[in-house]
Amino acid sequence: MSAPLLSLRDLSVVFDGRDGPVTAVDGVSLDIREGEVVALVGESGSGKTMTSLSILGLVDPPGRISSGSCHFENVDLIAASDRELRAIRGNRIAMVFQEPMTSLNPLMTVGAQVAEPLRLHRRFSREAANNRVLDLLESVGLSDPVRVARSYPHVLSGGMRQRVVIAMAIACEPALLIADEPTTALDVTVQRQVLDLMETLARETGTAMLLVTHDLAVVAERADRVAVMREGVIVEQGAVGGVLERPSANYTRKLLEAVPGGDPPVRSDAERVPLLEVSEVSKTFKVGRGWAKKEVCAVDNVSFSIDVGRTLGLVGESGSGKSTTARLVLRLLEPSSGSVSIDGVELLDLSPTELRAARRDMQMVFQDPYASLDPLFDVGQVIAEPLVAHRIGSTPDRRDRVAELLRLVGLTPEHARRRPRELSGGQRQRVAIARALALEPRLLVCDEAVSSLDVSVQRQVLDLLGELQERLDLAYLFISHDLAVVRELSDEVAVMQTGRIIEHGPTDQVFLAPEHEYTRLLLASVPTVRSRS
């Protein structure tokens, strides 16, 4: 067996707090060899990301590496100087971060940011770097690389931004790629394309990969070895087939049992009452300036309905119009044409005051919790904000309601005093869900509401959504690229492509007997935990 490319030994990371040091990573040891894909899995807050950040010396105060070593190409990265680390970061070791909007510079074009490591580490000329940028953007599935290269990050969808971050990471063909939830924001077809790209890079250049993920299906299909973390400790590691088929740790078995993939809900059709009616809705945006100005149709003649107590799953690739449709439903965007009504009331006819009152019945869980939570508020203020806006309850009542909601989404009342930046990505999404539930809405629009959650918390939230639906007769518009989750939660599924619904029907009919070629392509791209043995 070849010597490890990277050897991590007895790594510990602590955070100095008011009540003393708190251990986030506790004695972790891990080897990664050339061309090998090693997956690091575990619940949100288990120490996965902190372990990966430690490799590149990116642990910021009050965190610190208290012990351990990390050898890479004869350099101990933990003892290395800042100059040595700068020469390695983005060149020999590159990282794909979990939240693309926080890792992209909003003041620079996408092209300039992808070109930056090429100019810095490889000394490419401007022209050579620009040509390479277009190749990289195309290789990660962006269909119009010239337009994307000239765009700023805020113009792109979440999935497109994640692809840009991946293009930046692979620009210099690093020896080790650290991918922290690299496909969380991607639809299944682009996920497959990106993972194929990473796999090809590993095969052709010998690039190794540390894949930090909560998606056990991706681990089963792509990784060679897997390490399972819990509370800062690796509780089990070994070959993927052995760990996933014959787990020795109870915690690993718990993770596998939480993987979605069950049958859709079975309900009687005897008492179906329409709640949301969307009829021939379209939305056109004007883009560009001057002679280059043109109209782009993002949503094209979309119609569907959702009954009380039912769920419609809306699926499709990034940029297909799913999120725009959600915003049109809630009248966060004004449709160019069509109608949207809830419980027989046409939303487009409501005045601003009437619409404000109507929004108690419909709430949204956004895709990116970091962008949708006010960083100046603590968690308690975030969750109580809709209660304050609608003048519901006294201050003590709101405090009690916040504590109740935190428990519902798997957090504790103590989290109310924290700021969003102090939480993990999965914890922030749970706060966003708690805020959306504060007003007990009749319609909940979930835009990738569980995409950033690990499987055990995802299971908890899915069970919670199911329980709330039964108890309160909630209707859900559930937007997701995770088809296993959509199948388990949805009564009906609508498939979108380039702004249009191309297939719509009962969940089992769409999944088991799809009529459209595009739907068949989506289903064929879904990884499963049993992909490897």
Side-chain angles (χ1 to χ4, degrees):
M1 185 175 292
S2 61
L5 174 71
L6 180 135
S7 183
L8 199 60
R9 287 290 176 271
D10 299 320
L11 174 73
S12 292
V13 178
V14 299
F15 282 77
D16 295 316
R18 295 175 183 175
D19 300 324
V22 176
T23 301
V25 178
D26 189 3
V28 165
S29 296
L30 188 69
D31 289 336
I32 305 175
R33 289 176 170 78
E34 184 177 315
E36 185 179 40
V37 178
V38 176
L40 194 58
V41 303
E43 291 178 304
S44 179
S46 63
K48 308 186 304 294
T49 296
M50 196 54 58
T51 299
S52 63
L53 291 174
S54 300
I55 293 171
L56 286 174
L58 297 177
V59 178
D60 294 324
R64 57 185 172 84
I65 297 174
S66 60
S67 64
S69 64
C70 179
H71 287 90
F72 172 79
E73 294 184 338
N74 298 319
V75 176
D76 185 352
L77 299 179
I78 292 176
S81 66
D82 288 343
R83 182 176 181 179
E84 289 174 309
L85 287 174
R86 282 196 298 270
I88 291 172
R89 293 175 185 150
N91 183 25
R92 299 301 297 154
I93 303 178
M95 188 163 185
V96 178
F97 292 94
Q98 182 175 357
E99 293 172 340
M101 199 58 183
T102 60
S103 57
L104 292 172
N105 189 331
L107 303 180
M108 292 175 63
T109 64
V110 164
Q113 294 185 66
V114 178
E116 192 171 29
L118 295 169
R119 302 290 303 278
L120 177 65
H121 294 294
R122 298 300 174 89
R123 306 298 181 185
F124 274 39
S125 67
R126 186 180 301 275
E127 182 180 359
N130 289 341
N131 291 335
R132 176 62 176 153
V133 164
L134 297 181
D135 291 339
L136 287 165
L137 293 177
E138 186 175 11
S139 72
V140 294
L142 293 165
S143 58
D144 190 352
V146 174
R147 180 185 67 82
V148 172
R150 294 173 179 170
S151 300
Y152 288 88
H154 71 273
V155 177
L156 307 180
S157 69
M160 294 172 75
R161 287 195 291 264
Q162 187 68 297
R163 282 178 268 180
V164 169
V165 171
I166 292 169
M168 291 173 60
I170 66 175
C172 293
E173 298 185 354
L176 174 64
L177 183 64
I178 301 173
D180 187 0
E181 303 286 2
T183 58
T184 294
L186 304 183
D187 55 78
V188 289
T189 53
V190 178
Q191 178 189 72
R192 179 166 292 277
Q193 184 178 5
V194 168
L195 292 172
D196 285 345
L197 173 68
M198 292 180 175
E199 200 169 82
T200 300
L201 180 67
R203 184 171 59 251
E204 293 181 351
T205 67
T207 298
M209 190 190 315
L210 177 61
L211 179 62
V212 180
T213 183
H214 62 256
D215 193 332
L216 292 178
V218 169
V219 172
E221 188 174 272
R222 302 290 175 165
D224 300 301
R225 290 190 299 112
V226 58
V228 182
M229 286 194 74
R230 183 185 188 188
E231 297 178 352
V233 177
I234 292 181
V235 298
E236 183 171 2
Q237 63 175 304
V240 165
V243 171
L244 298 188
E245 294 293 337
R246 299 172 298 278
S248 60
N250 288 333
Y251 178 67
T252 308
R253 287 193 285 270
K254 174 187 171 185
L255 291 181
L256 290 167
E257 289 168 0
V259 174
D263 294 326
V266 178
R267 312 185 213 265
S268 170
D269 288 336
E271 299 180 0
R272 298 191 64 165
V273 179
L275 177 67
L276 176 70
E277 296 276 355
V278 178
S279 179
E280 298 180 348
V281 165
S282 296
K283 180 62 179 178
T284 301
F285 293 97
K286 293 181 179 180
V287 298
R289 296 179 181 178
W291 62 270
K293 195 171 186 178
K294 62 179 181 178
E295 291 188 344
V296 175
C297 187
V299 175
D300 187 6
N301 203 36
V302 163
S303 299
F304 58 83
S305 65
I306 306 178
D307 295 333
V308 173
R310 303 292 177 113
T311 301
L312 173 67
L314 190 60
V315 303
E317 291 179 306
S318 178
S320 62
K322 306 188 301 298
S323 293
T324 302
T325 298
R327 285 162 173 76
L328 292 171
V329 165
L330 298 178
R331 215 179 131 184
L332 298 176
L333 290 174
E334 295 294 331
S336 302
S337 61
S339 68
V340 179
S341 64
I342 185 165
D343 207 14
V345 177
E346 176 56 61
L347 296 182
L348 303 184
D349 294 337
L350 298 182
S351 67
T353 302
E354 292 170 328
L355 181 62
R356 179 185 177 87
R359 286 205 170 119
R360 286 191 61 172
D361 284 336
M362 50 185 187
Q363 293 291 305
M364 185 167 184
V365 180
F366 293 92
Q367 179 177 357
D368 186 349
Y370 199 80
S372 64
L373 301 180
D374 192 325
L376 300 180
F377 282 10
D378 62 33
V379 166
Q381 291 173 300
V382 166
I383 297 175
E385 187 178 17
L387 300 173
V388 174
H390 288 272
R391 301 179 181 178
I392 297 174
S394 63
T395 299
D397 291 337
R398 293 168 190 159
R399 192 180 301 117
D400 291 342
R401 177 64 173 154
V402 167
E404 176 189 0
L405 289 164
L406 286 169
R407 291 190 187 98
L408 275 176
V409 296
L411 299 175
T412 66
E414 286 70 30
H415 283 94
R417 296 191 294 270
R418 299 188 187 180
R419 304 273 181 174
R421 67 175 182 271
E422 299 176 59
L423 305 179
S424 67
Q427 290 171 329
R428 284 195 291 266
Q429 190 64 295
R430 282 180 269 178
V431 170
I433 293 170
R435 178 180 61 181
L437 295 173
L439 298 175
E440 297 185 356
R442 300 180 67 195
L443 171 68
L444 195 62
V445 178
C446 302
D447 188 0
E448 302 288 2
V450 297
S451 64
S452 64
L453 304 181
D454 55 74
V455 289
S456 56
V457 177
Q458 182 184 77
R459 168 54 53 202
Q460 182 182 3
V461 171
L462 291 175
D463 290 344
L464 170 65
L465 291 174
E467 292 167 8
L468 289 170
Q469 189 169 51
E470 291 295 325
R471 187 194 315 167
L472 304 173
D473 267 346
L474 280 170
Y476 296 141
L477 175 59
F478 193 83
I479 299 169
S480 180
H481 62 262
D482 191 330
L483 298 185
V485 169
V486 169
R487 181 179 185 186
E488 183 172 317
L489 196 66
S490 303
D491 299 275
E492 296 182 355
V493 173
V495 182
M496 287 195 75
Q497 184 184 32
T498 59
R500 298 181 66 88
I501 291 180
I502 54 145
E503 187 161 358
H504 182 191
T507 301
D508 264 348
Q509 177 183 311
V510 173
F511 273 77
L512 301 178
E515 296 179 357
H516 199 280
E517 179 61 33
Y518 176 69
T519 309
R520 290 193 286 271
L521 174 64
L522 288 180
L523 294 171
S525 300
V526 179
T528 67
V529 173
R530 302 300 177 187
S531 292
R532 278 187 176 184
S533 59

